Amino acid sequence: MMKVSFKGKFDVDKSNGAASLAFNAGNVKLRATMTDATIVAGPSLNGLSLAVEKPGFFIIDYNVPKKDVKFQFMNSIKIAEKPLNLTYIHMRGDNRTIVDGSLVIDLANKVSANYMVGTNNCKLKYTYAHGGIATFEPCYDLAKNAWDFAVSRKIYGTDTVKATYQTSSKMLGLEWSFNSKSTGSFKVCASMNLAEELKTPKLTAETTWNLEI
């Protein structure tokens, strides 16, 4: 079975699109992703990437025009009978390595950390889910010595409203999203910099369609 995904993103400055084709080959998935740069100006390798994925174990992405490879490995261990999910990401072209971990304390509480190896870029986040409907996520950025906050709430079972605030940049964001496993998703975002005198919101819309062939 082949899964086809189409994604479009629109904002006040520009719009772009992407298409992804994926199919199962035994216990791994093969995926090809193309952007509008691949086909709009004639068939080219621009915006083309290829990936091999074994869900829950690894993802290898190859950026064709840049000839760059990104490796992502996932693993899960238990600490005091609590699952600790670990992800190791290495971008060969940028020579960057990121380690991401999340410890699930219970159904409502989770702590996670994201660290770029060799730098002081590290984020610590606590996630509290209330009744499976509302989620509160404070995040501390060690590099910026600042807090970020996110609050989200599910509506009607398929819709989610989310508000975010970055204290370092004074950026306020609002997001409404609709998700369907069968058809895809739709998302509208508005962001505003409260530090600017002229507080003009920036609007973006993003939609994804999923098909199975």
Side-chain angles (χ1 to χ4, degrees), residues 147-163:
W147 286 90
D148 297 334
F149 299 93
V151 180
S152 61
R153 181 178 177 84
K154 290 184 178 181
I155 302 174
Y156 308 124
T158 56
D159 296 37
T160 302
V161 178
K162 183 177 182 179

Side-chain angles (χ1 to χ4, degrees), residues 130-152:
H130 180 70
I133 298 176
T135 303
F136 177 66
E137 293 179 312
C139 178
Y140 180 66
D141 191 325
L142 274 71
K144 297 179 180 179
N145 189 26
W147 286 90
D148 297 334
F149 299 93
V151 180
S152 61

Side-chain angles (χ1 to χ4, degrees), residues 9-116:
K9 185 176 182 180
F10 312 91
D11 58 37
V12 294
D13 299 321
K14 62 180 180 178
S15 62
N16 54 63
S20 178
L21 290 79
F23 62 92
N24 296 326
N27 59 352
V28 300
K29 292 183 178 180
L30 305 179
R31 183 176 69 253
T33 302
M34 299 169 287
T35 67
D36 49 5
T38 312
I39 55 177
V40 169
S44 69
L45 298 179
N46 293 329
L48 176 64
S49 64
L50 306 173
V52 179
E53 175 184 359
K54 185 174 182 180
F57 291 92
F58 67 83
I59 302 174
I60 301 176
D61 280 291
Y62 179 64
N63 188 310
V64 177
K66 294 182 179 180
K67 298 181 180 180
D68 191 14
V69 182
K70 182 176 75 172
F71 301 92
Q72 183 170 326
F73 300 95
M74 295 82 78
N75 195 9
S76 181
I77 61 176
K78 287 201 172 183
I79 297 181
E81 299 302 319
K82 306 295 183 182
L84 174 62
N85 301 313
L86 299 170
T87 302
Y88 171 89
I89 304 171
H90 178 70
M91 281 77 69
R92 192 183 67 175
D94 296 334
N95 193 27
R96 288 189 300 155
T97 300
I98 298 173
V99 179
D100 189 274
S102 61
L103 178 64
V104 181
I105 301 173
D106 52 39
L107 293 177
N109 299 276
K110 181 176 70 173
V111 292
S112 56
N114 181 281
Y115 172 63
M116 184 181 295

